[in-house]
Amino acid sequence: MILKMKTNFSSIEFLESIKNGEDSARDAIVRAYTEHLYKAALGQGLSNEQAHDVAHSTWMTFFDVVHRFEGRSHIRTFLFGIFYNKVSELRRSNLKYSQSDPIDEIMESKFQDNGHWKEGLPGDPERFLDSSQGLDIISLCLDELPELQKAVFQLKVVEEDESEEICNILDITTTNLRQLLYRAKSRLRECVERKSNA
């Protein structure tokens, strides 16, 4: 615990230590982020066993490729980029995705010709967000997002990472990033409206 508190994961010394495979550096970063990886995997809707597997697989890949980390972002961002790719790989291997995306039709029905929404969120948005029911609905709706949209939303909106950083992590273009973020926000709004009125 003391090691975890004293370690500066952004320092040049730590980055050199981790790239050189020093046990103390490996131990410090594993102790600091394993629980975060596990909880993030559960947040992605994975089972306990899958969450442990993804966390383990993330660490294996991280230590295989950390020598390529250039230090332009926080090492946590680099680690979670690997994590999101692992979750995507798992889902691709387990699920068959539909070629069509029903959100396109839904979104067309929700917009006016000038691009504005036809209807707003139910009631007062601030009161909705402050209510426990509102937070539960948002959490459920986040879980329903496709994994890449959820990853983009998490990195851009929640963690407030830079667009260029996100594109590097997820191996997407800036155009794809904008489209994915737009779709994620649109799906969230549609889902919140649907569940709030249910």
Side-chain angles (χ1 to χ4, degrees), residues 48-63:
N48 285 337
E49 184 179 348
Q50 289 173 324
H52 282 296
D53 289 347
V54 165
H56 179 72
S57 179
T58 299
W59 281 122
M60 289 183 62
T61 300
F62 173 83
F63 289 120

Side-chain angles (χ1 to χ4, degrees), residues 36-52 54 83-84 87-88 90-91 94-95 97 139-147 150-151 154:
H36 293 283
L37 289 171
Y38 174 71
K39 287 182 178 177
L42 292 177
Q44 292 281 320
L46 303 184
S47 68
N48 285 337
E49 184 179 348
Q50 289 173 324
H52 282 296
V54 165
F83 164 79
Y84 284 119
V87 172
S88 295
L90 178 65
R91 291 219 169 115
N94 291 336
L95 298 175
Y97 291 103
S139 179
L140 287 171
C141 290
L142 277 170
D143 287 342
E144 291 180 12
L145 287 178
E147 76 278 353
K150 186 173 183 178
Q154 179 76 24

Side-chain angles (χ1 to χ4, degrees), residues 29 33 69 73-81 155 159 161:
I29 198 165
Y33 291 119
F69 179 64
S73 61
H74 194 281
I75 201 160
R76 174 187 53 81
T77 304
F78 181 74
L79 176 66
F80 273 84
L155 290 169
E159 297 186 23
D161 288 334

Side-chain angles (χ1 to χ4, degrees), residues 41-178:
L42 292 177
Q44 292 281 320
L46 303 184
S47 68
N48 285 337
E49 184 179 348
Q50 289 173 324
H52 282 296
D53 289 347
V54 165
H56 179 72
S57 179
T58 299
W59 281 122
M60 289 183 62
T61 300
F62 173 83
F63 289 120
D64 283 344
V65 301
V66 72
H67 62 277
R68 296 198 309 244
F69 179 64
E70 297 175 356
R72 288 183 290 172
S73 61
H74 194 281
I75 201 160
R76 174 187 53 81
T77 304
F78 181 74
L79 176 66
F80 273 84
I82 295 169
F83 164 79
Y84 284 119
N85 284 329
K86 292 296 178 185
V87 172
S88 295
E89 286 172 15
L90 178 65
R91 291 219 169 115
R92 275 195 301 272
S93 69
N94 291 336
L95 298 175
K96 295 178 181 175
Y97 291 103
S98 169
Q99 294 299 318
S100 63
D101 193 349
I103 195 67
D104 293 330
E105 295 168 22
I106 294 169
M107 286 303 102
E108 282 183 27
S109 70
K110 293 291 183 181
F111 284 108
Q112 300 173 13
D113 290 336
N114 64 5
H116 292 112
W117 284 87
K118 288 182 180 175
E119 298 175 12
L121 283 172
D124 177 11
E126 284 190 27
R127 217 166 2 148
F128 178 77
L129 286 172
D130 287 340
S131 72
S132 60
Q133 180 190 10
L135 292 175
D136 289 344
I137 289 173
I138 291 169
S139 179
L140 287 171
C141 290
L142 277 170
D143 287 342
E144 291 180 12
L145 287 178
E147 76 278 353
L148 194 53
Q149 289 178 23
K150 186 173 183 178
V152 165
F153 186 85
Q154 179 76 24
L155 290 169
K156 184 69 178 170
V157 178
V158 179
E159 297 186 23
E160 299 181 339
D161 288 334
E162 295 296 325
S163 296
E164 183 181 349
E165 213 171 289
I166 297 168
C167 289
N168 288 335
I169 289 169
L170 300 176
D171 194 25
I172 57 175
T173 66
T174 52
T175 302
N176 285 344
L177 173 64
R178 285 193 299 271

